Short mmCIF file of all heavy atoms in Angstrom, two decimals:
data_model
loop_
_atom_site.label_atom_id
_atom_site.label_comp_id
_atom_site.label_asym_id
_atom_site.label_seq_id
_atom_site.Cartn_x
_atom_site.Cartn_y
_atom_site.Cartn_z
N GLY B 337 95.58 114.16 100.07
CA GLY B 337 95.04 115.07 101.07
C GLY B 337 96.10 115.43 102.12
O GLY B 337 95.88 116.42 102.92
N THR B 338 97.24 114.72 102.11
CA THR B 338 98.26 114.93 103.19
C THR B 338 99.51 115.59 102.50
O THR B 338 100.47 115.83 103.34
CB THR B 338 98.67 113.59 103.77
OG1 THR B 338 98.92 112.67 102.73
CG2 THR B 338 97.60 113.00 104.62
N ALA B 339 99.53 115.86 101.31
CA ALA B 339 100.76 116.26 100.57
C ALA B 339 101.35 117.48 101.23
O ALA B 339 102.55 117.63 101.43
CB ALA B 339 100.48 116.51 99.09
N GLU B 340 100.51 118.54 101.45
CA GLU B 340 101.06 119.78 101.99
C GLU B 340 101.80 119.58 103.30
O GLU B 340 102.87 120.05 103.62
CB GLU B 340 100.03 120.93 102.13
CG GLU B 340 99.76 121.64 100.77
CD GLU B 340 98.74 120.92 99.83
OE1 GLU B 340 98.04 119.99 100.47
OE2 GLU B 340 98.68 121.25 98.70
N LYS B 341 101.01 118.87 104.27
CA LYS B 341 101.63 118.73 105.60
C LYS B 341 102.80 117.81 105.55
O LYS B 341 103.84 117.99 106.22
CB LYS B 341 100.63 118.16 106.63
CG LYS B 341 100.23 116.65 106.42
CD LYS B 341 99.49 116.12 107.61
CE LYS B 341 99.25 114.65 107.40
NZ LYS B 341 98.54 113.92 108.42
N ASP B 342 102.79 116.84 104.62
CA ASP B 342 103.96 115.96 104.37
C ASP B 342 105.05 116.71 104.00
O ASP B 342 106.30 116.49 104.55
CB ASP B 342 103.69 114.85 103.37
CG ASP B 342 102.61 113.80 103.78
OD1 ASP B 342 102.18 113.79 104.88
OD2 ASP B 342 102.29 113.00 102.91
N LEU B 343 104.98 117.57 102.97
CA LEU B 343 106.14 118.33 102.43
C LEU B 343 106.69 119.24 103.57
O LEU B 343 107.87 119.31 103.73
CB LEU B 343 105.63 119.11 101.25
CG LEU B 343 105.45 118.38 99.99
CD1 LEU B 343 104.63 119.08 98.97
CD2 LEU B 343 106.73 117.95 99.33
N ALA B 344 105.80 119.84 104.28
CA ALA B 344 106.21 120.69 105.32
C ALA B 344 107.02 119.95 106.39
O ALA B 344 108.09 120.45 106.90
CB ALA B 344 105.06 121.50 106.05
N TRP B 345 106.61 118.70 106.71
CA TRP B 345 107.28 117.89 107.74
C TRP B 345 108.64 117.49 107.21
O TRP B 345 109.65 117.58 107.90
CB TRP B 345 106.39 116.63 108.01
CG TRP B 345 106.99 115.61 108.98
CD1 TRP B 345 107.67 114.58 108.56
CD2 TRP B 345 106.92 115.67 110.37
NE1 TRP B 345 108.02 113.86 109.76
CE2 TRP B 345 107.55 114.54 110.82
CE3 TRP B 345 106.23 116.55 111.37
CZ2 TRP B 345 107.67 114.19 112.18
CZ3 TRP B 345 106.42 116.23 112.60
CH2 TRP B 345 107.13 115.02 113.04
N MET B 346 108.63 117.06 106.00
CA MET B 346 109.92 116.62 105.32
C MET B 346 110.90 117.88 105.27
O MET B 346 112.13 117.66 105.64
CB MET B 346 109.72 116.08 103.88
CG MET B 346 109.05 114.81 103.90
SD MET B 346 108.79 114.24 102.11
CE MET B 346 107.40 113.13 102.35
N GLN B 347 110.50 119.00 104.87
CA GLN B 347 111.34 120.08 104.82
C GLN B 347 111.92 120.51 106.27
O GLN B 347 113.03 120.82 106.42
CB GLN B 347 110.65 121.35 104.29
CG GLN B 347 110.00 121.20 102.90
CD GLN B 347 111.03 121.32 101.68
OE1 GLN B 347 112.20 121.21 101.98
NE2 GLN B 347 110.47 121.47 100.56
N ALA B 348 111.02 120.38 107.22
CA ALA B 348 111.40 120.72 108.58
C ALA B 348 112.51 119.77 108.97
O ALA B 348 113.47 120.15 109.73
CB ALA B 348 110.20 120.81 109.47
N LYS B 349 112.35 118.54 108.72
CA LYS B 349 113.35 117.44 109.11
C LYS B 349 114.72 117.64 108.43
O LYS B 349 115.75 117.46 109.07
CB LYS B 349 112.77 116.04 108.90
CG LYS B 349 111.61 115.73 109.84
CD LYS B 349 112.06 115.76 111.31
CE LYS B 349 110.85 115.63 112.18
NZ LYS B 349 111.17 115.97 113.64
N VAL B 350 114.63 118.00 107.20
CA VAL B 350 115.91 118.30 106.46
C VAL B 350 116.66 119.46 107.16
O VAL B 350 117.83 119.31 107.39
CB VAL B 350 115.63 118.62 105.01
CG1 VAL B 350 116.90 119.24 104.34
CG2 VAL B 350 115.08 117.46 104.20
N ALA B 351 115.94 120.44 107.61
CA ALA B 351 116.52 121.54 108.22
C ALA B 351 117.08 121.22 109.53
O ALA B 351 118.18 121.47 109.97
CB ALA B 351 115.64 122.73 108.23
N GLU B 352 116.17 120.50 110.38
CA GLU B 352 116.54 120.04 111.74
C GLU B 352 117.78 119.20 111.76
O GLU B 352 118.64 119.38 112.57
CB GLU B 352 115.30 119.34 112.36
CG GLU B 352 115.51 118.97 113.82
CD GLU B 352 114.35 118.11 114.29
OE1 GLU B 352 113.23 118.20 113.71
OE2 GLU B 352 114.52 117.22 115.16
N TRP B 353 117.80 118.29 110.79
CA TRP B 353 119.01 117.29 110.80
C TRP B 353 120.14 117.87 110.02
O TRP B 353 121.17 117.18 109.87
CB TRP B 353 118.54 115.97 110.24
CG TRP B 353 117.35 115.35 111.05
CD1 TRP B 353 117.20 115.39 112.34
CD2 TRP B 353 116.28 114.45 110.59
NE1 TRP B 353 116.06 114.67 112.78
CE2 TRP B 353 115.54 114.08 111.71
CE3 TRP B 353 116.06 113.88 109.40
CZ2 TRP B 353 114.47 113.18 111.63
CZ3 TRP B 353 114.97 113.08 109.22
CH2 TRP B 353 114.19 112.68 110.30
N LYS B 354 119.99 119.04 109.34
CA LYS B 354 121.11 119.69 108.64
C LYS B 354 121.77 118.74 107.64
O LYS B 354 122.87 118.48 107.53
CB LYS B 354 122.22 120.19 109.59
CG LYS B 354 121.69 121.22 110.63
CD LYS B 354 122.89 121.67 111.46
CE LYS B 354 122.43 122.89 112.28
NZ LYS B 354 121.34 122.56 113.27
N LEU B 355 120.78 118.29 106.71
CA LEU B 355 121.20 117.28 105.68
C LEU B 355 121.34 117.97 104.33
O LEU B 355 120.57 118.92 104.07
CB LEU B 355 120.25 116.09 105.69
CG LEU B 355 120.21 115.40 107.04
CD1 LEU B 355 119.09 114.21 106.83
CD2 LEU B 355 121.58 114.64 107.27
N ASP B 356 122.11 117.31 103.43
CA ASP B 356 122.18 117.75 102.11
C ASP B 356 121.07 117.00 101.28
O ASP B 356 121.31 115.90 100.70
CB ASP B 356 123.60 117.45 101.51
CG ASP B 356 123.70 117.67 99.97
OD1 ASP B 356 122.75 118.28 99.40
OD2 ASP B 356 124.70 117.27 99.44
N VAL B 357 119.90 117.48 101.38
CA VAL B 357 118.75 116.85 100.66
C VAL B 357 117.89 117.97 100.13
O VAL B 357 117.63 118.93 100.91
CB VAL B 357 117.96 115.99 101.72
CG1 VAL B 357 116.62 115.57 100.98
CG2 VAL B 357 118.79 114.78 102.07
N THR B 358 117.43 117.74 98.91
CA THR B 358 116.47 118.75 98.38
C THR B 358 115.20 118.09 98.04
O THR B 358 115.09 116.99 97.42
CB THR B 358 117.03 119.32 97.02
OG1 THR B 358 118.27 119.85 97.24
CG2 THR B 358 116.06 120.49 96.44
N ILE B 359 114.13 118.66 98.57
CA ILE B 359 112.81 118.02 98.49
C ILE B 359 111.96 118.89 97.37
O ILE B 359 111.79 120.09 97.51
CB ILE B 359 112.00 118.13 99.83
CG1 ILE B 359 112.73 117.57 100.91
CG2 ILE B 359 110.54 117.55 99.71
CD1 ILE B 359 112.70 116.18 101.14
N THR B 360 111.49 118.12 96.34
CA THR B 360 110.74 118.85 95.27
C THR B 360 109.46 118.11 94.97
O THR B 360 109.43 117.03 94.55
CB THR B 360 111.56 118.94 93.99
OG1 THR B 360 112.90 119.35 94.32
CG2 THR B 360 110.89 119.92 92.96
N GLN B 361 108.33 118.82 95.19
CA GLN B 361 107.06 118.23 94.81
C GLN B 361 106.86 118.25 93.39
O GLN B 361 107.27 119.23 92.67
CB GLN B 361 105.85 118.77 95.59
CG GLN B 361 105.56 120.22 95.22
CD GLN B 361 104.73 120.38 93.92
OE1 GLN B 361 104.01 119.45 93.50
NE2 GLN B 361 104.76 121.58 93.30
#
Side-chain angles (χ1 to χ4, degrees):
Chain B
T338 48
E340 278 84 16
K341 76 167 183 179
D342 290 355
L343 286 161
W345 178 266
M346 290 178 197
Q347 302 281 16
K349 290 300 172 192
V350 169
E352 180 186 333
W353 297 332
K354 299 185 171 61
L355 297 174
D356 174 8
V357 170
T358 306
I359 308 276
T360 310
Q361 69 79 23

